[in-house]
Amino acid sequence: MTGGAILWLSGATVVFIAANTVLRYYVASAFLPTLIGALVLFSLGNLMMVRVMRDSGLAMAISVSAVLQLILISAVAMLWFGEKPTSLQLAGMALGVVAVTLIAWPQ
């Protein structure tokens, strides 16, 4: 993965984390503009991911993005919203990190 792709992936990840956080607020409030804001953020994140996919390929881009978002949004859920993942869920996150490490391992 090139430096440019990593930069775009980082930006897209920040947008996706923001979108998921806004969506979580929508679940609590059911305020329609909050849902629309989350959908706009998700759309922006997906448009940013097009560049990452172009630079590094679909499999690499989506795999790294999915696990990175999994870990970061879980951290937001735990720290911000007080959610507690089970041991099995934590193990699943660890396996995701191992899987992406194997996929992204330099050849």
Side-chain angles (χ1 to χ4, degrees):
M1 194 173 265
T2 65
I6 292 171
L7 187 62
W8 276 95
L9 177 64
S10 299
T13 300
V14 169
V15 171
F16 282 128
I17 298 304
N20 280 295
T21 303
V22 170
L23 194 60
R24 175 62 171 81
Y25 279 118
Y26 171 74
V27 169
S29 71
F31 186 57
L32 187 60
T34 307
L35 176 61
I36 293 169
L39 293 174
V40 167
L41 286 168
F42 278 120
S43 297
L44 176 62
N46 281 313
L47 288 172
M48 293 173 77
M49 282 300 296
V50 170
R51 172 76 183 262
V52 180
M53 287 184 264
R54 184 179 298 137
D55 289 348
S56 58
L58 177 66
M60 175 75 78
I62 297 302
S63 299
V64 172
S65 176
V67 173
L68 187 58
Q69 288 180 55
L70 169 72
I71 300 300
L72 294 176
I73 201 62
S74 295
V76 168
M78 288 184 280
L79 297 172
W80 199 308
F81 297 108
E83 297 179 12
K84 305 279 190 234
T86 66
S87 297
L88 190 60
Q89 290 168 331
L90 291 172
M93 287 184 236
L95 287 173
V97 170
V98 170
V100 165
T101 301
L102 293 174
I103 291 169
W105 196 265
Q107 298 179 7

